[in-house]
């Protein structure tokens, strides 16, 4: 029995990478750190803006890394164990994480801010120009 995918239509060409990305996202089950995604209205009312907010309590600015790699926004957090401290009880572990968000074409990161244990990353997508290009047809005898 063959598996049907959203991109299996013969009219959708070149979406193989998107299909693989969706499969990879479906397999990722880690829910740390928790996050919110909200839509913000742009200053002009037309530009789409988004804000991703991650709960990163206990992480300093130097422990966090925000990068864009191809069409992905990657947020990494690295904490190191403090070996000089002696714990009688340890309920808060030093933890590492990597959270990836797939960005649509044209999305760009505007800013990132760490405040009160929340890392906010603002993104926008400027209105793209509509491009119409005429393709010449060659005739061969």
């Amino acid at each position: 029995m063959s598996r049907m995918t959203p991109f299996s239509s013969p009219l959708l060409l070149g979406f193989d990478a998107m299909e693989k990305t969706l499969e990879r996202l479906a397999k990722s089950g880690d829910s740390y750190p928790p996050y919110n995604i909200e839509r913000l209205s742009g200053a002009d009312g037309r530009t789409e803006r988004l804000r991703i907010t991650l709960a990163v309590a206990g992480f300093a600015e130097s422990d966090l890394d925000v990068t864009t790699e191809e069409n992905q926004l990657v947020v990494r957090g690295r904490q190191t164990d403090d070996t000089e401290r002696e714990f009688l009880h340890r309920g808060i572990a030093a933890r590492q994480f990597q959270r990836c968000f797939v960005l649509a074409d044209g999305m760009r990161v505007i800013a990132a801010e760490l405040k009160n244990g929340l890392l906010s990353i603002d993104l926008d997508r400027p209105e793209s120009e509509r491009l119409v290009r005429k393709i010449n047809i060659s005739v061969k005898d």
Side-chain angles (χ1 to χ4, degrees):
M1 177 183 234
S2 66
R3 183 179 66 127
M4 287 296 287
T5 64
F7 299 105
S8 61
S9 170
L11 301 175
L12 297 173
L13 303 174
F15 286 92
D16 301 344
M18 178 75 72
E19 187 173 6
K20 289 177 185 175
T21 301
L22 289 173
E23 287 176 3
R24 190 179 70 240
L25 288 174
K27 291 178 185 176
S28 66
D30 190 15
S31 62
Y32 181 80
Y35 62 93
N36 292 335
I37 301 176
E38 58 185 306
R39 185 184 319 269
L40 306 172
S41 59
D44 59 1
R46 294 182 313 172
T47 307
E48 182 180 1
R49 290 186 53 221
L50 300 174
R51 175 172 292 152
I52 301 171
T53 305
L54 293 99
V56 292
F59 287 86
E61 179 186 359
S62 60
D63 297 332
L64 297 168
D65 187 35
V66 179
T67 59
T68 54
E69 300 172 8
E70 295 183 13
N71 65 335
Q72 288 190 356
L73 170 67
V74 181
V75 182
R76 292 180 180 95
R78 293 178 195 87
Q79 287 179 321
T80 57
D81 279 329
D82 189 359
T83 57
E84 297 177 7
R85 298 166 67 185
E86 181 181 346
F87 292 96
L88 299 177
H89 169 74
R90 180 137 191 206
I92 303 171
R95 193 167 179 182
Q96 297 185 22
F97 71 87
Q98 176 174 310
R99 172 72 69 184
C100 297
F101 299 91
V102 178
L103 302 178
D105 289 338
M107 293 293 292
R108 61 183 181 185
V109 176
I110 301 171
E113 178 186 27
L114 180 62
K115 182 178 179 183
N116 297 329
L118 297 174
L119 175 64
S120 297
I121 303 167
D122 290 344
L123 303 110
D124 78 344
R125 178 178 19 204
E127 188 70 29
S128 61
E129 296 179 17
R130 300 284 181 212
L131 178 63
V132 177
R133 193 177 92 199
K134 180 160 176 57
I135 308 299
N136 292 324
I137 301 172
S138 63
V139 178
K140 297 186 179 186
D141 293 331

